[in-house]
Amino acid sequence: MPYDSPPSSPPSAFKPYIPASAQLPEMTLRALIMGTVLGMIFGASSLYLVLKVGLTVSASIPVAVIAITLFHTAKKFGARESTILENSITQTAGSAGESLAFGLGVTMPAIMILGFDLEISRVMLVGVLGGLLGILMMIPMRRTMIVDAHRELKYPEGTACAEVLKAAATETSRIAAGETREDGSDAAREAKRRAMLIFGGFGIGLAYKTLSVSFKGWRDYVNFEFGNPLKGGSAGAEVSPELLGVGYIIGPRIALTMAAGGVLSYLLLIPMIKFFGDLLTVPLAPATTLIRDMGPDDIRNAYVLYIGAGAVAAGGLISLVRSMPTIWKGLTGGLSGIGKGSAADKSKRTDQDIPLKWVFIGCLAIIAVITVATPLHMNLLGALLILVFGFLFATVSSRLTGEVGSSSNPISGMAVATLLFTCLIFLVMGWTGGRYYVTALSVGAIVCIAASNAGTTSQDLKTGFLVGSTPRLQQYAILCGAFASALILGPILLKLNEAGTVYVPAAQVAPGLTVDASKLTETARLAGPQAATDSKTYKVWQKSDTAGGPAGKYLVADDGKLAYLVDPGINGTHKVRPDGTEVKKYDAPKAVLMSYIIKGILDQQLPWTLVLFGVMISVVLEMAGVHALAFSVGVYLPLVSTLPIAIGGLVRWVADRRNNRLPQFAKLNEEERQAAGDRSSGTLLASGYIAGGALAGIIIAITAGVLTDFDSRMAKWAEASNPFFAGPDSHLLTLIPYALIIALLYWVAREKAQR
């Protein structure tokens, strides 16, 4: 948006759907409970998604559609029909889970990657404090960002969600709005059809993923490795409904840009390293293995990850610098808006916020808890940094969300900037020991979650502004939703990690290595399937160097001999247990990046040459006029994750290209066509794919440690009898069910011509 655009019209010029004088049921107990539960569900699915590919999509519209449908179903059994204001409260409370999941997923696993235990108390504290802080900091800026800048800041997801709520408005709400719509009208049938689409997509995603992974109906990924002249190159895709849906929603430009980064890694960088390194007779640092003995994934882990980390860090910072005019405008507007409207008529329902004094008291209480909470390892300087960076990036996030939407808001770039500045301050002060890892990461995590939740809160308040909700009640609702989601996401994160944890016999990775067990005080036992074969209690040793074996967490016997290396489910490298069963790991790409930044600055242990190669990739792209952040994320992620996202983006491109030729789209400009595509049937089905596939992944991960006999029996049957799962043609046969859900997505995305 240009910054010299004409001033927005005064707030009084805008009339919400439900007038301020109308009194309808709004923050009812059923609306709050339903929103909170849906927030937990979508928060869990978003957490799964961010651990896999490092991104999420807005949950506002899916939550709104599900809430509308559930309330409509309840009416058939004698319940009172819901109002549009109740539906708004439900989607407000339910949207908090997704933003919290993103903040937790890109930061908290870094603690484990750095060699510390992922304590449940720390995860829950960070989630609760960051979530509440972001919401409270947004409240004083509501009038400036939402009301005064109504025509300038569109908040695309919030505006689209308001359209969904208005389209499904019940008779009571329509009467209050002065609108007439007969039962059985086209609008009523359209609302029902949209609800069926998202639930249908949810069922398909859930069934597809369960049949593929639990029942071994077909492979969950396909991969092809190349020989000469492209030795070391490979291409593959995870054939999952959730990644297909993500690609459809974010659109072809970002999806294909991310995939292009993966192509650079897997079809250029890795083959190039293989070509030049095959003749080396000694390992090339930081790897400890000869390049000629390494496969594509080994080369990626040893070299390309650092290049990708440098590219992502540079892309995020460049994106932040490019936004400096917006940052300055948002900061000045936010500061000038604090307390504004205090003389307004507080009897006007749509102008009521949580009183400013309670906002300040709440922020001070949060900072006090941050300072004294033992699990955070925080000090006063860290708490002050959280306050400064929290306000800065909450303002920036709210402004950017209004311009580009939640899905394109560079929250991770803000987290990277926070970590860089925090670690540099710590380095200047001489705080370079391992104990400061957690302090620095806690600062970054709370700021990241606060910024993410501030953007989500802005979207919700925009929706409420358009439909005529009471801001104060919306603010209470999202506070409740954020608190409940923060409590549940911590245990889910730990359970996902535990389900993929492998206890590697120490003789395989650190033969002959011993330690003085008398100095170790912490104890632990095996968890998950391997606990059935070993119930002993061991002492825990956190190994910080690579002498004699890889760094990480070890279980040690009483005599000092190492028993197991604990390879975590998040960012672990061992994918097969000693009994031969395979486990699914989570790459957690953004969390790995955070760990690199902390360890690289505080301990100065990064291979800076590789990191600078990545930085130059982003610089070259920016010089060529290409926004580097999405491409850099693709360099960092495995191609099997970005290629299916690109497929979803291509389906969106083909569908939109076909739909734009229809009569009803002929007079729309490019922005209006994009908005129509964001509200289309394909978007709803894709949202269902995401929720169903991601939720299935969580269920599978949790039950894998319980139904181990069933899982192993299904694997043995599939390997012996199922050509879709094992055998020379399994990779090609797996593409058949995947092609079916692609074709269904395109078929649903086609709009009918309207005359």
Side-chain angles (χ1 to χ4, degrees), residues 190 193 655 658-669 672-673 676 679-681 749-755:
E190 175 64 12
R193 185 186 70 86
R658 181 259 180 196
N659 291 340
N660 288 340
R661 292 196 294 265
L662 298 177
Q664 63 264 35
F665 292 92
K667 296 182 180 180
L668 302 181
N669 59 35
E672 291 169 336
R673 288 179 175 179
R679 298 191 299 268
S680 69
S681 300
R750 299 178 311 144
E751 300 288 342
K752 295 181 180 179
Q754 297 177 5
R755 299 293 179 181

Side-chain angles (χ1 to χ4, degrees), residues 208 212 217-222 239 723-725 729-739:
Y208 183 101
S212 171
W218 51 87
R219 303 183 68 89
D220 58 347
Y221 72 95
V222 294
V239 288
F724 282 78
F725 185 83
D729 299 322
S730 59
H731 287 273
L732 292 174
L733 292 173
T734 291
L735 295 177
I736 296 176
Y738 190 56

Side-chain angles (χ1 to χ4, degrees), residues 117-181:
D117 283 334
L118 197 61
E119 299 172 359
I120 184 65
S121 56
R122 183 185 299 136
V123 178
M124 293 173 68
L125 266 175
V126 166
V128 170
L129 296 173
L132 300 185
L133 186 64
I135 297 167
L136 290 175
M137 286 187 168
M138 176 55 207
I139 291 172
M141 295 184 289
R142 180 191 69 86
R143 177 170 291 276
T144 299
M145 296 289 189
I146 306 300
V147 182
D148 295 344
H150 165 57
R151 299 187 185 280
E152 179 185 353
L153 299 179
K154 301 299 183 183
Y155 291 98
E157 288 96 339
T159 301
C161 190
E163 293 300 319
V164 171
L165 293 175
K166 288 190 284 187
T170 57
E171 183 180 1
T172 303
S173 302
R174 296 197 302 272
I175 292 173
E179 177 187 297
T180 58
R181 183 198 304 167

Side-chain angles (χ1 to χ4, degrees), residues 668-743:
L668 302 181
N669 59 35
E670 190 61 33
E671 183 179 346
E672 291 169 336
R673 288 179 175 179
Q674 177 67 32
D678 291 340
R679 298 191 299 268
S680 69
S681 300
T683 299
L684 293 176
L685 185 67
S687 298
Y689 277 5
I690 294 169
L695 194 60
I698 294 170
I699 295 171
I700 291 164
I702 293 174
T703 58
V706 180
L707 303 175
T708 53
D709 291 339
F710 172 79
D711 190 67
S712 61
R713 285 199 303 268
M714 292 303 302
K716 290 178 181 178
W717 165 81
E719 289 171 0
S721 308
N722 186 357
F724 282 78
F725 185 83
D729 299 322
S730 59
H731 287 273
L732 292 174
L733 292 173
T734 291
L735 295 177
I736 296 176
Y738 190 56
L740 292 176
I741 63 171
I742 292 174

Side-chain angles (χ1 to χ4, degrees), residues 261-334:
V263 169
L264 177 72
S265 291
Y266 280 80
L267 296 178
L268 177 61
L269 296 180
I270 293 176
M272 188 179 294
I273 293 170
K274 189 73 171 176
F275 177 78
F276 289 111
D278 253 357
L279 298 179
L280 293 179
T281 57
V282 294
L284 178 64
T288 57
T289 307
L290 290 174
I291 289 179
R292 65 169 175 250
D293 298 328
M294 300 169 73
D297 287 339
D298 299 322
I299 294 175
R300 172 183 176 263
N301 293 334
Y303 304 106
V304 178
L305 274 182
Y306 295 102
I307 297 174
V312 173
L317 289 177
I318 291 171
S319 175
L320 211 57
V321 171
R322 190 189 295 112
S323 303
M324 286 307 295
T326 302
I327 292 173
W328 179 250
K329 187 171 183 178
L331 276 175
T332 54

Side-chain angles (χ1 to χ4, degrees), residues 174-393:
R174 296 197 302 272
I175 292 173
E179 177 187 297
T180 58
R181 183 198 304 167
E182 297 181 2
D183 291 336
S185 64
D186 290 343
R189 286 194 295 269
E190 175 64 12
K192 184 177 181 180
R193 185 186 70 86
R194 294 171 70 85
M196 290 176 63
L197 281 175
I198 195 168
F199 277 108
F202 178 86
I204 292 170
L206 184 65
Y208 183 101
K209 189 86 172 183
T210 303
L211 290 173
S212 171
V213 180
S214 292
F215 291 90
K216 317 298 180 188
W218 51 87
R219 303 183 68 89
D220 58 347
Y221 72 95
V222 294
N223 194 53
F224 303 94
E225 294 190 13
F226 306 127
N228 288 324
L230 201 61
K231 186 179 179 181
S234 64
E238 182 178 335
V239 288
S240 62
E242 66 269 24
L243 297 185
L244 179 67
V246 167
Y248 188 94
I249 289 178
I250 66 176
R253 184 177 64 84
I254 297 177
L256 289 173
T257 302
M258 288 178 62
V263 169
L264 177 72
S265 291
Y266 280 80
L267 296 178
L268 177 61
L269 296 180
I270 293 176
M272 188 179 294
I273 293 170
K274 189 73 171 176
F275 177 78
F276 289 111
D278 253 357
L279 298 179
L280 293 179
T281 57
V282 294
L284 178 64
T288 57
T289 307
L290 290 174
I291 289 179
R292 65 169 175 250
D293 298 328
M294 300 169 73
D297 287 339
D298 299 322
I299 294 175
R300 172 183 176 263
N301 293 334
Y303 304 106
V304 178
L305 274 182
Y306 295 102
I307 297 174
V312 173
L317 289 177
I318 291 171
S319 175
L320 211 57
V321 171
R322 190 189 295 112
S323 303
M324 286 307 295
T326 302
I327 292 173
W328 179 250
K329 187 171 183 178
L331 276 175
T332 54
L335 288 170
S336 64
I338 292 179
K340 191 174 181 180
S342 57
D345 182 9
K346 294 305 177 182
S347 64
K348 188 178 179 182
R349 181 181 56 80
T350 54
D351 197 42
Q352 297 175 356
D353 290 293
I354 292 176
L356 201 59
K357 67 175 183 180
W358 293 113
V359 174
F360 283 125
I361 291 172
C363 288
L364 291 175
I366 289 173
I367 296 301
V369 172
I370 290 172
T371 306
V372 302
T374 304
L376 298 181
H377 298 272
M378 191 61 65
N379 51 38
L380 181 59
L381 177 61
L384 292 175
L385 289 173
I386 288 172
L387 184 63
V388 173
F389 288 128
F391 178 75
L392 169 67
F393 290 130

